[in-house]
Amino acid sequence: MSGRLRVFLGAAPGVGKTYAMLAEGRRLRDDEGLDVVVGLVETYGRRGTGQQLGDLPVLPRRTVHYRGAEFTELDVTALLARRPALALVDELAHSNAPGSRHAKRWQDVRQLLDAGIDVATTVNIQHLESLNDVVEQITGVAQRERIPDEVVRAADRIQLVDLSPQALRTRMAQGEIYPPDRVDIALDHYFRAGNLGALRELALLWLADRVEEELADYRARHGIRAPWETKERIVVALNGAPQGEHLIRRGARTATRVHGELIGVHIRPDDGSTTREPPGLAGQRALLHELHGSYVEVSAGDVARALVDFAHAESATQILLGPTSRSRPRELLSGSVINRVIRLAGPIDVRVLPPPEPGLLAVPPAPGHRRPAAVPLPRRRLAWLLGPATAVALAWALSPLRGSLALAGVLLCLLLAVAATARLGGLLPAAGTTAAGALAADWFFTTPWHSFTVRRGADLAVLLLFLAVAGIISHLIDGLARRSQQTDRARAEAAVLAHLAGETVQSGARALPDLVAELRQVFGLDGAVVLVRTGQLWQPAAASGAAYPLRPDEASLTVDLGSGAVLALRGPALSEEDTRLLGPYVTQLRLARDRERLAAQAAAAETLAHTDALHTALLEAVGQDLRAPLAALRRDAADLPAPQRRRIDAGARRMERLVANLLDLSRLRAGEIPVVLRPTVLRPVVAAALSGEDGDVRLALGDGLPPVLADPGLLERAVADVLAVAGRPAVVDAGTVADRVHLRVTAPGDAEPVGLTVARGFVDAMNGELTAEPAPGGGTAYLLDLPCAAV
């Protein structure tokens, strides 16, 4: 019988995998009496790991000689001969030295399992083969030691050893993971907070996928098709129709609330036809990607059946459908897809969402002030078809009554047809109906009959009057329609502005993608995008629509948002009213951009604050560790000759002062040490800084120097640091330039900019400046530029 494998999985080095494995081994030995042997454990000098190893029996390692060097590896032969109940083997992804029994340690472990020995081991997520490229992209470090995923997935038990990024960085700063000389490099590179957070999420997702695979295998073995609501999965049916974006956004909001998954699926017909992709599908795929959803295409002849089968295969809990686009006759002939999905779905919830309210986020086109009212093309065509025909048919129908019905009477009846046509199709079809009615009345109701000749002047006057009255009625009806459209436009504008203001008041500056998507919907554009210039390229910061422009010169309209950002629109030309309504959206886009910049600055400031805190903790730890060796160095130097003793004493004092200054500079930048600026006389401060200095230093300040605005304590330490860096002999003098005082330390030798870091930090905190430049007579002049105090 094969042994069982237990894997302790970590997101990064130092989270405590080996410690947890040893603790489990001790528990099994002490509580259950198992024979536990440590086959191989790497403690890396960590105290906690060494203490946890304790009195567990450790198998000696096997020595391998390769190219004149010695390597120690796991002794598989000895373990097989010992046959413990549980073997603890660290670093599963380790590559063995050439000449070993196997090339990889996981192959050693597999042989132990085949022999019936249980094994507990450790591995980091970055060593898994499937995640290697992702980890390299996150951390910038390529992993040479990799292990096939199936080796870890085959384990009987996987335990995630978790530690928050901040806690792991604190352990690193305290020297519990790497030696002190590697801590700063590790914190600034691999162990950045963002890297650790991403690796931690990667480990959790990989482990969740394994659990999901086990659940799917269990359901398949037991023939379970009904969805188990262990996790919400929302399937959105997409066919490229305009309401698809509405479905995706609704599904994304639901998935976010319940911490579920969003899957968009498009059913492509498999009838052999080369149908083009629906125009809106590309934009919907991009929107799914933005909202962290996935997209799948399925070929099938039966759309409803394929959609439900896909939902069952994905263990979906909801299916979102949009309203049908089929006409009623087509539904009667070929059936309703929505009804079939509902019948076939079984326990899966099916939601049919109505389209978004057009009045809220869509503005009708503004009618022209001197143009006829805008009429939809189908209505206008219908009016041209029915209007003149109705006028002719009505005149023909009334022609038998010409003996009792005079020309004026039939023209009055024809005015009804003109008014109805004007209401249906607008001014131009009404004019055509008027002309057709006048000709028909002349044909049927004036003598001679059935000709377009008018003999009587009275009949001609009546016809001309009909044309005038019909024109006036048509113009009035068109004006009323135009006023109605203007009212609808004003109502829609007010609704959009109220919605925009309400969202702003409720939640502040809105997210850039939401604003761009709403703007495109409001103005009925083909595409809208916010482009940000990076060097010579334009990068989209937020986009909506399948046909958004990639450069400003491809857009039909561009608006400058400032800070190198441009709003680019593609679609129908905007009217004057549209441009006026666009203004509030431009303001909101600028606010959203400002909010993103402030959020990025806040994140950078937070990261900097964490870094400063870690540096301070590290410096405090280093300072504490240095006190004992420095004290021992001074004790040992007491027996040396006086010149050597003084040199060692001076070096030790300089080291102590450097560590103290670094700690104070870190606290100063963190705001823990207040800077109190007050009028300060230079001479006593410089004299105090000189009191602890050995060597030839001449003070030549002179009289009449104004006081400077400085913190006396910080200024004294800054001058002392400069004197410690400068050579000997040194001269300290000062002078006044405008409203500044220049304190100068001149010494032979070249400048040492590295040694001025702490002093420069102190001077900067006092609104001054510290520079080093060649002195006129040779050597280096260290210049402290300080502001004069107001008298």
Side-chain angles (χ1 to χ4, degrees):
M1 185 176 63
S2 297
R4 292 174 299 176
L5 178 63
R6 306 179 186 184
V7 176
F8 291 84
L9 178 67
V15 296
K17 304 180 301 299
T18 305
Y19 185 96
M21 180 184 70
L22 292 172
E24 178 69 5
R26 294 175 65 86
R27 185 189 68 80
L28 293 173
R29 185 197 65 174
D30 297 340
D31 298 347
E32 301 183 16
L34 290 184
D35 180 18
V36 179
V37 171
V38 176
L40 187 146
V41 162
E42 300 287 357
T43 64
Y44 296 109
R46 298 167 188 168
R47 290 192 301 270
T49 306
Q51 292 171 0
Q52 193 61 248
L53 181 60
D55 58 350
L56 285 172
V58 180
L59 196 72
R61 302 189 186 190
R62 177 174 176 267
T63 302
V64 179
H65 298 274
Y66 178 71
R67 291 185 177 178
E70 290 186 354
F71 301 91
T72 58
E73 300 291 354
L74 175 67
D75 195 338
V76 180
T77 304
L79 260 181
L80 291 172
R82 174 72 166 73
R83 294 194 64 82
L86 176 65
L88 306 182
V89 181
D90 209 2
E91 303 286 358
L92 183 62
H94 172 76
S95 298
N96 293 328
S100 301
R101 179 189 290 253
H102 300 107
K104 296 288 188 177
R105 185 166 292 166
W106 63 265
Q107 296 170 324
D108 297 337
V109 168
R110 176 171 290 177
Q111 185 174 3
L112 296 175
L113 295 172
D114 292 339
I117 301 174
D118 291 352
V119 177
T121 186
T122 63
V123 70
N124 282 330
I125 195 71
Q126 66 262 28
H127 295 298
L128 295 177
E129 184 69 51
S130 66
L131 302 179
N132 185 258
D133 56 341
V134 181
V135 173
E136 183 177 356
Q137 183 180 2
I138 293 172
T139 64
V141 178
Q143 299 293 332
R144 292 179 298 174
E145 295 183 333
R146 300 191 291 272
I147 181 172
D149 288 44
E150 58 267 19
V151 175
V152 182
R153 289 187 186 274
D156 298 273
R157 174 182 168 189
I158 300 178
Q159 179 177 334
L160 179 66
V161 183
D162 192 25
L163 196 64
S164 69
Q166 187 57 46
L168 184 56
R169 285 172 60 85
T170 301
R171 288 192 63 193
M172 175 67 72
Q174 293 172 352
E176 297 181 12
I177 301 176
Y178 287 168
D181 58 336
R182 295 176 57 191
V183 169
D184 274 343
I185 297 176
L187 287 174
D188 291 339
H189 293 83
Y190 195 93
F191 283 79
R192 289 198 298 266
N195 290 357
L196 296 178
L199 292 174
R200 187 188 191 196
E201 183 177 0
L202 204 60
L204 291 170
L205 290 174
W206 187 89
L207 198 60
D209 287 342
R210 179 181 182 270
V211 173
E212 188 174 332
E213 289 176 2
E214 292 180 352
L215 180 61
D217 291 342
Y218 176 85
R219 295 180 62 208
R221 288 196 306 269
H222 292 78
I224 301 172
R225 284 183 53 83
W228 285 359
E229 297 188 11
T230 55
K231 185 176 185 180
E232 289 282 343
R233 288 182 178 84
I234 301 169
V235 172
V236 179
L238 302 174
N239 59 1
Q243 64 266 22
E245 291 191 7
H246 174 60
L247 292 177
I248 293 170
R249 294 183 187 279
R250 178 71 70 87
R253 288 195 295 269
T254 304
T256 301
R257 284 196 299 268
V258 299
H259 304 287
E261 293 181 8
L262 177 66
I263 307 172
V265 58
H266 171 62
I267 309 299
R268 186 176 59 250
D270 64 351
D271 53 4
S273 61
T274 58
T275 55
R276 295 179 59 187
E277 181 181 277
L281 203 56
Q284 291 167 12
R285 278 199 302 268
L287 180 60
L288 267 171
H289 179 72
E290 286 182 18
L291 299 176
H292 307 291
S294 57
Y295 175 80
V296 179
E297 283 193 6
V298 178
S299 296
D302 188 340
V303 174
R305 171 65 67 181
L307 181 59
V308 173
D309 288 346
F310 175 81
H312 280 297
E314 293 291 329
S315 297
T317 54
Q318 295 184 39
I319 299 176
L320 295 190
L321 301 173
T324 182
S325 58
R326 292 185 174 183
S327 62
R328 186 61 180 169
R330 187 181 175 190
E331 282 194 356
L332 293 175
L333 291 175
S334 57
S336 169
V337 174
I338 294 176
N339 291 339
R340 291 202 66 223
V341 170
I342 293 173
R343 286 197 301 269
L344 296 172
I348 303 177
D349 294 341
V350 179
R351 299 169 60 192
V352 182
L353 302 183
E357 291 185 38
L360 180 61
L361 292 178
V363 176
H369 295 289
R370 297 183 179 180
R371 296 181 180 179
V375 178
L377 183 60
R379 282 179 50 187
R380 190 162 63 248
R381 289 176 176 174
L382 184 62
W384 274 112
L385 179 65
L386 295 181
T390 301
V392 173
L394 183 60
W396 173 79
L398 295 175
S399 60
L401 304 176
R402 70 164 76 91
S404 58
L405 187 65
L407 177 62
V410 74
L411 291 176
L412 187 61
C413 295
L414 292 177
L415 282 176
L416 294 175
V418 172
T421 304
R423 181 67 184 87
L424 176 64
L427 192 60
L428 294 179
T433 303
T434 301
L439 292 174
D442 181 21
W443 183 269
F444 290 109
F445 284 90
T446 63
T447 56
W449 314 119
H450 303 130
S451 72
F452 294 113
T453 302
V454 181
R455 287 183 178 176
R456 297 175 54 193
D459 291 342
L460 181 60
V462 171
L463 287 172
L464 293 176
L465 182 61
F466 166 76
L467 293 174
V469 173
I472 293 172
I473 291 176
S474 301
H475 183 72
L476 290 175
I477 293 175
D478 180 76
L480 290 174
R482 188 167 57 249
R483 290 293 178 87
S484 176
Q485 291 173 358
Q486 290 172 348
T487 302
D488 293 341
R489 165 80 184 199
R491 187 183 299 114
E493 285 186 9
V496 168
L497 292 174
H499 170 75
L500 190 62
E503 289 285 341
T504 304
V505 171
Q506 183 177 3
S507 57
R510 299 169 61 193
L512 205 61
D514 293 341
L515 280 169
V516 173
E518 185 176 304
L519 184 148
R520 186 185 71 83
Q521 184 178 352
V522 165
F523 296 104
L525 300 169
D526 299 330
V529 62
V530 173
L531 298 172
V532 180
R533 193 177 190 91
T534 55
Q536 300 298 321
L537 301 177
W538 291 95
Q539 298 291 336
S544 177
Y548 63 84
L550 299 177
R551 296 191 306 273
D553 54 7
E554 296 177 359
S556 54
L557 177 65
T558 58
V559 181
D560 184 20
L561 298 178
S563 301
V566 172
L567 172 65
L569 308 177
R570 175 181 285 171
L574 299 184
S575 63
E576 181 181 348
E577 290 81 2
D578 292 334
T579 305
R580 184 177 64 248
L581 184 60
L582 182 63
Y585 276 98
V586 172
T587 301
Q588 288 297 315
L589 289 170
R590 287 172 177 158
L591 289 175
R593 289 271 302 157
D594 291 341
R595 183 183 185 183
E596 288 185 351
R597 283 196 299 271
L598 290 174
Q601 293 172 2
E606 184 178 359
T607 302
L608 183 60
H610 287 315
T611 303
D612 286 342
L614 286 171
H615 285 171
T616 302
L618 178 61
L619 287 171
E620 288 176 350
V622 171
Q624 292 173 0
D625 292 342
L626 281 176
R627 288 193 182 98
L630 289 174
L633 185 65
R634 285 182 172 178
R635 285 196 306 269
D636 294 341
D639 299 331
L640 296 175
Q644 297 178 9
R645 185 174 63 251
R646 283 195 296 270
R647 284 199 303 272
I648 293 175
D649 231 19
R653 284 200 308 272
R654 183 173 180 180
M655 179 66 72
E656 289 174 345
R657 184 172 61 190
L658 175 62
V659 172
N661 284 345
L662 287 172
L663 282 171
D664 287 345
L665 180 59
S666 296
R667 296 190 184 105
L668 186 68
R669 289 177 175 174
E672 297 178 6
I673 297 179
V675 179
V676 181
L677 301 180
R678 62 173 184 266
T680 303
V681 179
L682 278 179
R683 182 177 292 276
V685 173
V686 176
L690 288 174
S691 62
E693 290 295 327
D694 297 331
D696 184 10
V697 180
R698 183 166 62 88
L699 187 62
L701 292 182
D703 298 326
L705 284 175
V708 296
L709 188 64
D711 184 310
L714 291 182
L715 180 56
E716 178 185 339
R717 297 176 68 172
V719 174
D721 287 346
V722 172
L723 289 170
V725 171
R728 297 291 185 271
V731 178
V732 181
D733 60 358
T736 305
V737 178
D739 58 348
R740 311 284 292 186
V741 172
H742 288 178
L743 178 65
R744 184 185 299 103
V745 177
T746 306
D750 296 330
E752 297 185 19
V754 177
L756 298 177
T757 302
V758 176
R760 185 173 287 113
F762 289 155
V763 175
D764 289 344
M766 296 182 291
N767 300 322
E769 185 179 3
L770 172 59
T771 57
E773 57 188 23
T780 303
Y782 301 91
L783 184 64
L784 284 78
D785 184 347
L786 299 168
C788 292
V791 180

